[in-house]
Every structure is written in C-alpha cells, then in structure tokens.
Amino acid sequence: MGKWKKSIRASTAALAVTLVFGGGFIPSQQASAVTASGALGPLTPKDVVYQIITDRFVDGDTSNNVPSGSSSALFDDSNSDGIGDGDDLKLYQGGDWQGIIDKIPYLKDMGVTAVWISAPYENRDTAINDYQSGGGVDVWTSFHGYHVRNYFATNKHFGLMQQFEELRDELHDNGMKLVIDFVTNHTSRWQNPTDGYSAEDGKLYEPDKDSSGNYVFDTNGNPVDYNSDGNVENLLADPNNDVNGWFHGLGDRGTDSSRYGYRHKDLGSLADFSQENGAVAAYLEQAALFWKSKGIDGFRHDATLHENPAFVKGFKDAVDSASGGPVSHFGEFFISRPDSKYDEYQSFPDRTGVNNLDFEFFRAATNAFGSFSETMSDFGSMLTQTSADYEYENQAVTFLDNHDVTRFRYIQPNDKPYHAALAALLTSRGTPNIYYGTEQYLTSADSSDIAGRVFMQTESTFDTTTTAYKTIKKLSALRQSNEAIAYGTTDILYSTDNVLVYKRQFYDKQVIVAINRQPDTSYTVPAINTSLPTGTYSDALDGLLYGSSNTVSTVSGQNQLASFTLSGGEVNVWSYNPDLGTTVPRLGDVVSTMGRAGNTVYIYGTGLGGSVTVKFDTTTATVVSNSDNVIEAIVPSVATGVRQITVTKGSNVSNQFRYEVLTDDQVQVIFKVNATTTYGQNIYVVGNIPELGNWDPTKATEAFLNPDYPVWFLPVSVPKGTTFEYKFIKKDAAGNVTWEGGSNRTFTSSSSSAGSSDTGTLTWQ
C-alpha cells in the first residue's frame, strides 16, 4: 500500500524537589504531578492544534496584569482601567491562563484537540529599549515568552503554578492536549544593537536549593525564599560576565548565513546558549523534565534552525526516555524556499527526532491562496514533493499563519480563498495548527509579525457562527473520524492554475477534496477516474463552502467521479469511510520515531486490538496495552539503527513503519581537525558505530563547520561511555571521497548523561 506514515495516557516524569510549607519541611521527594484525568499523550495527525500567545488571548484574571515587582509602564493601559487596551502591541495586554480556561468551551466546540501556549516560565520583566534614529525610544516587553529568566518559576503575568496546573487539568478533562513553547537557544537580549551594543540583560536565574541541591518549592509548586535572603532566586549565568562558558558570546549573526553563523552567533542579539557545554545541556534537559513532570503533552521548540542538532537529539532523547514516555516535539526551523537550507530542514526530524513546523506548507499556501503568486498546481506539487521528502509527513505541523509571520487575513482579505485555504490546511497531510483568531478573521495593521499579535479580547466577540469557525469544526471532526486524512497518502487527481482536486487515502478509506480558489470565476472539472465504489457522495461540509454531492458511476468498466462545476470559492469534501474491520492491523503513525531499548512507543492505526505481536524487524517487543486504535509497546533490545515496526495479528501482518533505535543515552563529542581542502570539499567523520555511519561514507555526519579554516569542527551525538573508532574524510559535491591515512583513531565519550567531550584539534593524517 506504499508508505503510510501518537494518544494514550502518559504518566509524568520524576524530578526531585523539596516542598516547603507552614514553617516545616518535607524531605526531598519525587514530584509526580499527575493531571486529574491523566495526561492525554503526544499529538497525532488526528489532532487540530490551536496556538495561543497567552498574553494576547483573554484576560481572565486582572489581578496579575501588573504582578508584584513589575512596572505598570510595561502594561498597555493608557486609560488606567486595569484592562489591556490592545493598542501598543509591544507591551503586555493581560491575557493569562485563566482566560484560556474561560474559553475552553469555545475551543472544544470548534473541534480543537490540542492547545499550544506561550512558554509558561518566568521571562525577563524589564523594559527592552530600542533607541530610534529620530531620538525616540520604543519600549518592548517579553510578553511572547521568548526571553527566559528562570525555567523553574512561572511567568507571573500568566499566573502561578497552581493556575498552570488548573489549565492543564481543565484542558485534559475536556479531551484537549497541552503543548508548551520551550526555548533552549537563548535567554534575553544581552547587548543593545540600538545603543552601540551596550551591555543589557540576558541573565539566567534559578530557585533556592536545599542542602541536597534540590530546588525548593511551596505546596503549590512555586519557589520560596528557603535561605531567607529576601529572594526566591539566585543568579546562575550572566552573558556579560560569563565565567563558566554558558554562552557563545560571539555577537549578532547579522548577514552571516553559514551554518556556523546560524548556530553559534546571536539571533537578534539574544544571548546564545553554548549547548556544546555539558553543564548547559544538562541544565536545559533538567528544565524540560521539570515541565514534563507537570503532565504536559508536548514541546514546541523555538529556533531549532539556530541550534546544534547533536544537542537537540540528546535533549529530545533525554525527555522521552524519562518517566512518562514520549511526548510531542516539533520546532521552528524557519526557511523560505528557494533556500539553501532546505535539505537540512527536511532531514532535521530524521536526524534529531524533533519534527518541523511546516514552513514549506506555509510558503506554498501563502502564495497559492494568499497572494496568488503561485498556482494551485504548484500547491499540489508541494504536497506530493514534501510527502516524498519528509519521512514522517503527517507529523509535520502545518499552518497558514503564526506568531513569526504576518496574519493570513492581511494577505488574503477575500473570504472565499481564505476559507478555501483553511479547508486545504485541515484536509492536507500533516498535523494542522490554527493561529488564535484565524477563525475570527483577525488581521494585521501591517505585514510585520508583531502587528499580527493582536489582543483577541479587544478585537473579537468569539463568534461561534463564523464560516471559518464552522469550517474548522466540521473538518476537525472528519480528520478524527476518517483515517485517510490523518494517516493517508496524497495524490493529485486534477490541477490547473486555479483548481486543485486531490485524494487522501488510507487503505480503502478515501477523502477527495476539490477546491476553486478564484472567488468569482467558475470552472468545470472533467470526469475523474477513481477507485471509489459507485454511489452518491455528499459534501462533508454540508454546502458551507458552496459544495454539493457528486456521483461515482461505472463507465466502460472504469469507475468515474462525474464531471462537476466549481463555482467561485467552492470547496467540496467527499468522504468514503468504510469500516476496515478488526482482523487486519494497519499502521498509521508511531510516536516517538527515535529511541532506545526500554523506551515506550505508541503505535496508531486500525485493527490493533486483541492478540497482537509487535516486532522491530524480527525482534518481538513487549506490548503494555492495546486497543483497536493504539498500542503501547516497549522498544526491545535490537541492533542499533533504522528498524521497521510491524504488527502481526493471526496470519495478518501490517505495513511497516520506520523507527530509529539508538545505542544508548546520547551525549556530545566535538570533533576537531586541522585539514586543508580544495574548492568544493568538506570534512566529515565516519566510524564504527551507527551514529558515525558504520564506516559508510554515504552515512557520515553532516559537513563540519570551518569558521577558522583550516580548522574544522562538529558536535556529534554519540552513545555515552562508549569507546569507538573513527576517521576523517574529505568529500566533494559529486560524492568523491578521500580518506585520511594512518591507523583508525579512537575516542571514549563522556559517561555522564548530557555530557560533552572534545577531541582537541587533531591533524589530518
């Protein structure tokens, strides 16, 4: 059947804390903050995600608009009524976790099954001053959550830990997963580029610790002044006095478009973590495990384009290998084709286990449905090309707009192509993400990302009768009920400049989508050969976007979908959803797609209940639990590398699904070599372990970085405490390989989880 490309309860990760209350102390214990209903598990392609900039949604609790210690000048309230004005979008507006809780019925009725919120932890809470050439000053705040100050305390503008846990529980009780934004690339701006790069902030703090080195929290999970020094936090690292090498400290990237520039220099003068430092990697892993212990269902990783992939791989592995099993991981690898980084982008999930926000889908949808600068045929080509390029195309998180780009409504003010784009998003391969307010046609004052970060409370009445709202609701229901949309392949049945007809198929289940993007022009689509059974198929949107039923009949022995006319802006969605039965197992998705022996893995599809056998190649895995739609299993001890998962039920064997088995806990080795090259050559490393390609030059690491040529270096993810052999090679664009001479080199990786070690600068043999 070709390549068929996550939800079950996940317990919570363990993290040692000390609880303090009432003047007495509870000894250090394992925190196991389990939700009221139990965590719902990772995202699956059946989910519809709703992205909320917490500060810009709803103000449910006005008491935290200006938290203690914060300045009222950071809150947008020119009339002093205590409520955000929605005018100065650089300042806080007042949205909080209580506001999200208040709107859960609105979200649930729309068909939202997962909510992605801003980073929940404490951010820098001082003014960020941008000095203007004319003498004025623009004052910015960290309302967006991307300027971490303390990973182990909540952002008080959003609420305390008890409010976060209430949000988690309310979402879970209503069947919605919780994904948090998480930043491991940087802290805040440490140099001010508008003031001669003068020293600014960027400091990182942590809570008080007890004598055993454990963080101290009260019974509600909030930091306390354990050492009675008048503070509930302590300075951990300062990029302007970086005594322990926590930051790269190389200054802003500017126009440096090299991989080195992207990964090691500052993004917008934000203090860039040195993730090659083992202490930094361990600390960031600890921070993520702290939030995993709160019962969340996933992480959206910020700025993955700017991060060291070896660190990302180890970070994700540490999170998913901890108690509670795998959660969702997707990240912001921001490209815009044509882009020289496309190959790096499309392979990032395979190399790290962290999926991508689908910027390629965004680009194509914006051009096809927004600006009309590309055709519908171009959009269809993108769908099929990326389905081939992406190993796990249904796990890519697709979107029309988000906080990093302008509002789609700013580009496309006409309702008909706007609705058509929404329909395409919700029926295409991938896991769709709806930016808050898209269903209410929120727009921007200009094309900037900040202009799109409007305060929804002041811009919308949360109308549940908009066509966009109802389109999301109907197609979310179809995505959950018909596996063709969630797990299926994509085939283009017909395309022109303005019309696209495509099929999603998972075994016998099919959904056919026919779209006319032109608002005022009709087009006739000729009869289309189909494998659908004969009969009449009603529009799953019930005519909401002007669609109607269509008929399949047999013509000269071939079933055909009858010719039809698409009126301006018309979208038809015809669904064929037969019961596949329970006898034959069929795999649709697997989470995670990378892990080690002993890890939990969730297998999704149909026919998975009853007596089943799960195998990784030929090795049998332990099945923990199963139902018709999901299996929880344990990765068996099996040879490291790519393995194929199958499920056997009686004499029936499922299709295969790719899974990469890691040797062990992943740590970093920074390889360095002094080597001269000719034009077009790059340096790589190969070795006798799978992470180094098992001596196969075609499976070598990515090319080394060379900011100080002829010295080359690269951080590589390898199993901890392992002695391995390796050699450096030179390879050109044509694939010609030159091996260095001499004996095989040997090295032993760090035995510490999240450890990092350095070979020192070696000389090409």
Side-chain angles (χ1 to χ4, degrees):
M1 295 298 294
K3 183 179 71 172
W4 303 110
K5 293 301 196 236
K6 302 185 182 152
S7 170
I8 199 167
R9 250 188 5 243
S11 60
T12 54
L15 186 74
V17 298
T18 297
L19 301 179
V20 184
F21 70 103
F25 302 103
I26 295 178
S28 296
Q29 61 182 11
Q30 297 299 309
S32 54
V34 181
T35 66
S37 59
L40 299 181
L43 299 177
T44 80
K46 288 191 172 186
D47 282 311
V48 172
V49 185
Y50 190 84
Q51 180 195 355
I52 295 174
I53 298 179
T54 302
D55 178 64
R56 299 303 161 90
F57 194 53
V58 174
D59 186 355
D61 180 3
T62 58
S63 68
N64 58 32
N65 287 346
V66 183
S68 175
S70 183
S71 168
S72 60
L74 304 182
F75 181 56
D76 183 23
D77 183 20
S78 60
N79 61 2
S80 301
D81 64 355
I83 300 172
D85 297 337
D87 294 331
D88 189 342
L89 298 180
K90 302 184 299 297
L91 304 180
Y92 275 98
Q93 299 298 327
D96 49 35
W97 294 325
Q98 184 59 52
I100 300 174
I101 292 171
D102 292 345
K103 291 299 179 183
I104 284 178
Y106 168 87
L107 299 173
K108 184 175 183 179
D109 183 60
M110 186 168 43
V112 170
T113 61
V115 175
W116 156 20
I117 65 170
S118 304
Y121 44 72
E122 184 177 85
N123 266 233
R124 170 182 175 177
D125 203 23
T126 55
I128 302 169
N129 295 317
D130 278 358
Y131 298 95
Q132 305 301 300
S133 58
V137 180
D138 282 346
V139 178
W140 295 77
T141 62
S142 304
F143 70 87
H144 39 63
Y146 296 118
H147 294 169
V148 60
R149 187 178 189 274
N150 187 335
Y151 283 108
F152 299 91
T154 63
N155 187 326
K156 304 304 185 294
H157 291 269
F158 304 158
L160 301 176
M161 188 60 76
Q162 53 265 45
Q163 280 84 48
F164 176 82
E165 293 178 347
E166 182 182 358
L167 170 64
R168 172 204 66 199
D169 291 346
E170 291 292 334
L171 287 171
H172 285 172
D173 286 345
N174 282 276
M176 283 183 270
K177 302 166 187 178
L178 175 59
V179 176
I180 65 169
D181 226 315
F182 205 80
V183 185
T184 55
N185 183 67
H186 54 258
T187 57
S188 186
R189 202 169 74 178
W190 69 294
Q191 294 180 324
N192 190 333
T194 70
D195 188 34
Y197 290 95
S198 59
E200 201 174 331
D201 204 336
K203 297 182 182 70
L204 185 67
Y205 294 81
E206 63 179 355
D208 281 357
K209 294 179 179 179
D210 65 12
S211 58
S212 299
N214 298 314
Y215 293 131
V216 185
F217 303 99
D218 65 20
T219 52
N220 289 316
N222 298 298
V224 296
D225 182 11
Y226 182 78
N227 58 16
S228 301
D229 66 352
N231 298 303
V232 296
E233 61 184 12
N234 304 278
L235 180 65
L236 178 65
D238 180 357
N240 285 293
N241 184 29
D242 189 16
V243 294
N244 293 315
W246 275 57
F247 303 93
H248 284 131
L250 298 176
D252 198 76
R253 180 176 64 84
T255 59
D256 186 347
S257 60
S258 68
R259 283 183 299 131
Y260 175 78
Y262 270 89
R263 296 179 188 176
H264 287 259
K265 296 182 180 179
D266 296 339
L267 169 64
S269 296
L270 300 167
D272 198 65
F273 278 126
S274 178
Q275 297 159 341
E276 301 77 33
N277 182 330
V280 174
Y283 189 82
L284 295 173
E285 288 181 5
Q286 181 187 14
L289 289 174
F290 172 80
W291 287 98
K292 183 184 180 185
S293 78
K294 298 299 179 183
I296 65 170
D297 303 292
F299 293 90
R300 178 269 184 184
H301 299 269
D302 184 60
T304 51
L305 165 62
H306 302 274
E307 296 187 332
N308 158 13
F311 160 76
V312 175
K313 182 178 181 180
F315 179 89
K316 181 265 178 194
D317 173 58
V319 171
D320 284 359
S321 296
S323 175
V327 296
S328 290
H329 297 269
F330 62 94
E332 178 209 2
F333 201 109
F334 198 146
I335 67 163
S336 180
R337 288 184 76 192
D339 197 307
S340 60
K341 297 182 291 298
Y342 177 76
D343 288 345
E344 188 184 355
Y345 157 84
Q346 65 92 9
S347 67
F348 189 81
D350 311 343
R351 293 182 289 124
T352 66
V354 175
N355 290 296
N356 285 332
L357 273 166
D358 197 346
F359 278 88
E360 180 65 353
F361 182 98
F362 156 74
R363 178 202 62 78
T366 298
N367 293 343
F369 293 98
S371 64
F372 281 32
S373 60
E374 293 186 34
T375 68
M376 290 295 281
S377 291
D378 292 332
F379 181 75
S381 295
M382 179 278 302
L383 290 176
T384 55
Q385 178 183 329
T386 52
S387 291
D389 287 349
Y390 301 175
E391 188 64 46
Y392 309 107
E393 71 270 21
N394 286 318
Q395 294 184 6
V397 178
T398 54
F399 62 98
L400 294 176
D401 48 6
N402 70 14
H403 63 296
D404 285 321
V405 299
T406 192
R407 287 271 174 181
F408 183 66
R409 188 62 167 182
Y410 180 81
I411 299 171
Q412 182 48 268
N414 189 300
D415 281 355
K416 288 184 177 180
Y418 186 91
H419 295 145
L422 265 179
L425 172 69
L426 289 156
T427 55
S428 293
R429 93 291 176 280
T431 304
N433 177 68
I434 307 294
Y435 191 33
Y436 79 101
T438 295
E439 75 283 4
Q440 298 296 335
Y441 311 103
L442 296 190
T443 189
S444 310
D446 56 50
S447 62
S448 66
D449 54 3
I450 182 65
R453 302 176 187 183
V454 297
F455 190 20
M456 190 165 171
Q457 176 175 297
T458 62
E459 302 294 323
S460 167
T461 61
F462 294 85
D463 183 0
T464 61
T465 67
T466 70
T467 300
Y469 183 99
K470 291 189 287 186
T471 297
I472 295 167
K473 179 176 182 175
K474 286 180 178 294
L475 293 179
S476 173
L478 183 63
R479 175 172 281 271
Q480 293 171 59
S481 66
N482 191 330
E483 285 81 3
I485 296 182
Y487 306 142
T489 55
T490 301
D491 291 293
I492 305 304
L493 303 181
Y494 177 83
S495 67
T496 66
D497 285 356
N498 295 300
V499 171
L500 182 66
V501 182
Y502 57 92
K503 176 181 68 174
R504 306 295 314 288
Q505 183 168 2
F506 182 73
Y507 294 90
D508 290 340
K509 293 174 178 268
Q510 293 188 45
V511 172
I512 293 178
V513 182
I515 301 175
N516 173 13
R517 71 172 180 180
Q518 284 290 352
D520 302 313
T521 306
S522 296
Y523 297 95
T524 298
V525 177
I528 297 173
N529 290 342
T530 181
S531 58
L532 286 173
T534 58
T536 299
Y537 295 85
S538 59
D539 173 32
L541 287 168
D542 296 322
L544 184 64
L545 303 184
Y546 318 107
S548 60
S549 62
N550 204 346
T551 301
V552 171
S553 57
T554 303
V555 179
S556 301
Q558 170 65 57
N559 283 11
Q560 288 188 342
L561 187 67
S563 174
F564 55 96
T565 297
L566 291 171
S567 62
E570 181 174 336
V571 177
N572 286 279
V573 180
W574 298 303
S575 172
Y576 178 58
N577 196 16
D579 187 346
L580 297 180
T582 60
T583 303
V584 179
R586 298 174 173 90
L587 308 189
D589 197 36
V590 169
V591 177
S592 166
T593 57
M594 179 185 291
R596 7 171 174 139
N599 282 180
T600 296
V601 62
Y602 302 133
I603 303 166
Y604 301 92
T606 63
L608 305 181
S611 179
V612 297
T613 300
V614 174
K615 290 187 176 181
F616 285 64
D617 285 354
T618 59
T619 303
T620 300
T622 299
V623 174
V624 177
S625 64
N626 67 309
S627 65
D628 188 62
N629 299 119
V630 62
I631 296 172
E632 179 183 353
I634 303 299
V635 178
S637 295
V638 64
T640 303
V642 173
R643 298 289 164 250
Q644 298 296 332
I645 296 176
T646 57
V647 174
T648 301
K649 192 172 184 179
S651 61
N652 297 303
V653 182
S654 73
N655 54 305
Q656 298 179 336
F657 201 99
R658 181 186 187 275
Y659 188 95
E660 182 173 353
V661 179
L662 303 174
T663 307
D664 200 346
D665 190 357
Q666 298 290 294
V667 298
Q668 294 182 75
V669 170
I670 295 92
F671 292 89
K672 294 179 180 176
V673 62
N674 187 313
T676 58
T677 56
T678 60
Y679 182 78
Q681 282 185 323
N682 282 296
I683 300 295
Y684 302 79
V685 63
V686 291
N688 68 339
I689 56 176
E691 288 82 356
L692 298 181
N694 282 328
W695 295 119
D696 183 349
T698 66
K699 298 178 181 177
T701 61
E702 65 176 328
F704 278 37
L705 308 173
N706 63 342
D708 299 311
Y709 180 84
V711 174
W712 303 70
F713 83 97
L714 186 72
V716 178
S717 178
V718 301
K720 72 175 184 181
T722 300
T723 300
F724 55 86
E725 298 182 358
Y726 69 98
K727 273 191 172 182
F728 299 110
I729 62 173
K730 299 175 183 178
K731 188 163 52 171
D732 62 21
N736 299 308
V737 176
T738 301
W739 290 78
E740 68 171 341
S743 302
N744 293 342
R745 302 178 186 271
T746 61
F747 192 81
T748 301
S749 60
S750 171
S751 60
S752 174
S753 182
S756 180
S757 48
D758 191 321
T759 65
T761 303
L762 306 170
T763 301
W764 175 271
Q765 296 177 156

